[in-house]
Amino acid sequence: MRLRIRTAPLAVLLTLCLGSADLRAQNPEFREYFADRTMRVDYFHTGSAELEVISLDRVVSDGPWAGPRDRLVDESNMGKFRFEVRDADSGALLYSRGFASIYGEWETTAEAAQLQRTFHESLRFPWPLRPIRVILHRRTGPRAFAQIWETVVDPGSRFINAADRGPGGPVHTLFQSGPPSEKVDLVLVGEGYTPEQESKFLADARRLSEALFETEPFRARKGDFNVLAVFVPAERPGVNRPHVGEFRRTPLSTEFNIFDSERYLLTLDNRALREALSGVPYEFVEILVNEKQYGGGGIFNFQSTVAVDSEFADYVFVHEFGHHFAGLADEYYTSDVSYETGGETHPEPWEPNVTALHDPEGLKWGDLVTPNTPIPTPWGKEAYEEHSNRIRAQRRALVERTAPESEFDDLFARQREIERELLSAMQFANRVGAFEGAMYEARGLYRSEIDCIMFTRAEFFCHVCRRAIERIIDLYAG
């Protein structure tokens, strides 16, 4: 049962309620409803096993509007959450986007059953010309959402901060393909670099963006992207690494050990991240962390991260950007994770590259299945799991004795070579089908190909992931 709250802080009405919304409205003419600026609604997302509360923080200007002007309604059915902007008088749907959040991940951990926590989140959309309703939904089924919060915003109110501010550091253009409104706008932001390390940050940003655009389908669609780099200097090199007792306070508060996973790397300080990027034209962001330890993270339509000096930084950058950009699920299932996983029966995931296969005839990537490929598709699952269990045991031993990072790199390199040889030799390699084992579950969830960058440290996306990426490119760049 959800808690219902209603308050009326003068110009902004805040309502927590249940409901549903109609997404069938047509995209409006941009100039009829919006100015060429960005509005940002900041709020707090609080919850526990029995409670979920949304409370407004503030509404501010966030610089010029970088997004498309003719693809305002998101029909991709992506994300654990979705928000809508509707005209306050007519109810017309003006803008919508799906997204995921740290709160949405946290509520699947064991900690969420024991205590209550609060996370800061933001919704960004074009600046409205008249009062609007901002409505937040959470997913309740494969194509179903329930309304959990609503606020009415009058853009002319004195309680809306219309002042712009600059970014948290110098902004560099890595490459510009066209106007922000006609391109996908990616910003790379530095974390844990000292003022003397700006040139290192720029070299890292160029190297990692090149790795992204060497990978299909990004390579073929590079002309649909603009890439900027924002340098936010820190007092000391590196970021917070609590699992090894190396503590830092950095501008964006990025840290390892998210959900007590030593290589999961994110910032929980959404406000600091948004303020550092204020005034920068962007839709997607990857935080480049000045660390050698292997690690990263990615959340759909929120953030992605990578430790730039790891031996596997290129792979991690692309893999985590796949989460953030296209909502791709992790396809691996033999690694230790912090999430509470289920049994053999699962609801159909919203992520485009994983399925519960409740309806084999209606497989969501059925049009891509290679002819004469059985569904579900047999593969050498037992041999793969035997190999993975050996790697897990070796990795745990390294963690227990706090081994140097070079030993982890050597282990991961051996693992990559063994998996490459093992998987490529299997009967249905390089075919699209439905292979059991995905999204941290050995049974009941299926991926589309034997191998992919979302499954192992491969260097390629599978066909289903490529199509999902292209759909997001089309949403922003046409």
Side-chain angles (χ1 to χ4, degrees), residues 174 186-193 198 200-210 227-232 234 238-239 252 254 256 265 273 285-291 295-297 303-309 313-314 316-318 321:
L174 298 189
L186 167 62
V187 61
L188 310 179
V189 56
E191 173 78 316
Y193 293 85
E198 185 171 3
K200 179 185 187 304
F201 164 67
L202 290 174
D204 292 337
R206 292 189 183 98
R207 169 175 56 87
L208 292 168
S209 60
E210 287 173 3
V227 182
L228 301 177
V230 178
F231 179 66
V232 181
V239 299
L252 306 181
T254 310
F256 288 90
L265 177 64
L273 176 62
V285 55
E286 183 133 5
I287 303 172
L288 307 189
V289 175
N290 189 27
E291 283 282 0
Q303 63 172 288
S304 52
T305 69
V306 60
V308 298
D309 289 331
D314 289 9
V316 174
F317 181 96
V318 178
F321 191 66

Side-chain angles (χ1 to χ4, degrees), residues 99-120:
F99 67 100
S101 67
I102 294 177
Y103 177 90
E105 290 195 4
W106 170 79
E107 65 181 356
T108 68
T109 67
E111 184 183 78
Q114 302 170 7
L115 53 83
Q116 179 175 306
R117 289 192 66 179
T118 296
F119 298 87
H120 194 271

Side-chain angles (χ1 to χ4, degrees), residues 165-171 189-190 229-234 251-252 272-280:
R165 60 165 291 167
V171 180
V189 56
V230 178
F231 179 66
V232 181
L252 306 181
L273 176 62
R274 300 298 182 181
E275 292 292 271
L277 299 177
S278 188
V280 177

Side-chain angles (χ1 to χ4, degrees), residues 127 176 282 309:
W127 190 277
Q176 184 86 17
Y282 77 96
D309 289 331

Side-chain angles (χ1 to χ4, degrees), residues 112-146:
Q114 302 170 7
L115 53 83
Q116 179 175 306
R117 289 192 66 179
T118 296
F119 298 87
H120 194 271
E121 300 174 2
S122 296
L123 307 176
R124 301 173 73 246
F125 49 88
W127 190 277
L129 297 177
R130 57 180 71 95
I132 55 165
R133 294 163 52 215
V134 179
I135 306 168
L136 180 61
H137 302 80
R138 68 176 297 141
R139 187 177 294 275
T140 58
R143 299 197 67 85
F145 290 81

